[in-house]
Amino acid sequence: MNNLTVRLICLVIGYVFGLFQTSYLYGRKFKGMDIRSQGSGNAGTTNAIRVFGKKAGLLTVLCDVCKCILAMLLTGLIFRHSYPEILLLLKVYTAAGVVLGHVFPFYMNFRGGKGVACFGGMILAFGDWRMIVLGLIFLLGCLLITKYMSLGSLTATLSFLIGVIIRGQAGAYQMDQSHLTEMYCIIGLLVVLTYYKHRGNIVRLLKGEERKTYIIGKPKES
């Protein structure tokens, strides 16, 4: 197989895994509703918390994270012997496919979630514990301090891109520069997609109108 074919296979593998829409399937199975008709209209973790509760939100984030991890592990098993020198790049292509499948599922008229949990799965399966720590610091730090899930998601994804570039240029990933640059570009496009899907949240953050998400308690109304 040529390199383009391998990359396309990885994207397809990821897209198939990304089609498992946890919050949508949960809503259809247990609540008899389409989650996209409720709350923010998004089929993702934050809306699952608001519409179905914290347990459903936890199930959603775990499944959406795990589907990306599993897809990347499968890619590793398939190509670890034939393409060991660019295996990390192929895993990133797979993660990109998962995000695309989650955000643009064909059977939901291409209206899925925002892909943040899948992005988190990519960070966990990336194989660099420093990136995991960095992502958690920004995600949980922003969420606990500001209560804005969107802000935590945006800062975590951007920090991952910056961290990967710094580590990659320091020789951490053992790939030549052309493949490193390709990997940076794929991750960068995923970050751009994340920001695009959060464009409404960004506007509300700037206006001070963004809804807060409480994962530990909620202040009582006076």
Side-chain angles (χ1 to χ4, degrees):
M1 289 184 290
N2 60 47
N3 287 341
L4 177 59
T5 301
V6 171
R7 286 162 172 75
L8 289 175
I9 290 173
C10 291
L11 282 171
V12 171
I13 290 173
Y15 187 84
V16 171
F17 274 83
L19 293 176
F20 184 86
Q21 290 283 332
T22 311
S23 63
Y24 174 81
L25 296 174
Y26 179 93
R28 286 295 195 190
K29 176 68 176 178
F30 298 105
K31 303 296 182 178
M33 69 169 67
D34 184 344
I35 189 175
R36 297 172 300 169
S37 67
Q38 305 292 323
S40 67
N42 178 61
T45 300
T46 303
N47 203 35
I49 293 174
R50 291 169 180 162
V51 176
F52 300 136
K54 292 179 181 178
K55 290 183 179 179
L58 178 60
L59 176 64
T60 298
V61 71
L62 286 177
C63 290
D64 288 347
V65 166
C66 286
K67 69 186 180 186
C68 191
I69 294 175
L70 291 173
M72 292 173 73
L73 288 175
L74 178 59
T75 294
L77 290 173
I78 294 173
F79 296 113
R80 62 180 177 179
H81 296 305
S82 51
Y83 294 93
E85 70 283 356
I86 59 168
L87 189 58
L88 183 58
L89 173 62
L90 297 181
K91 288 182 177 181
V92 169
Y93 268 98
T94 302
V98 176
V99 173
L100 291 174
H102 181 83
V103 176
F104 304 112
F106 72 89
Y107 68 95
M108 293 167 59
N109 296 319
F110 302 98
R111 286 182 54 228
K114 296 180 179 179
V116 173
C118 300
F119 201 115
M122 176 176 67
I123 295 175
L124 291 174
F126 192 74
D128 188 339
W129 66 267
R130 296 168 183 82
M131 296 300 99
I132 297 174
V133 172
L134 184 67
L136 287 174
I137 288 174
F138 278 95
L139 176 63
L140 297 180
C142 284
L143 181 57
L144 292 174
I145 293 171
T146 69
K147 310 303 182 200
Y148 294 132
M149 177 71 81
S150 56
L151 182 60
S153 301
L154 293 171
T155 55
T157 54
L158 183 59
S159 68
F160 176 71
L161 172 61
I162 295 171
V164 166
I165 292 174
I166 293 173
R167 291 276 293 154
Q169 293 307 112
Y173 304 129
Q174 300 179 348
M175 281 193 293
D176 60 67
Q177 188 59 52
S178 64
H179 287 118
L180 281 172
T181 301
E182 184 179 354
M183 183 172 72
Y184 304 155
C185 290
I186 298 301
I187 297 174
L189 288 173
L190 292 178
V191 172
V192 170
L193 177 60
T194 300
Y195 274 68
Y196 174 76
K197 294 297 293 183
H198 282 81
R199 61 194 183 282
N201 303 85
I202 294 172
V203 171
R204 289 191 293 272
L205 283 168
L206 293 175
K207 291 182 177 180
E209 299 173 353
E210 178 72 329
R211 292 180 62 183
K212 294 186 177 182
T213 300
Y214 296 89
I215 57 174
I216 302 177
K218 185 175 183 178
K220 295 181 180 179
E221 296 181 0
S222 57

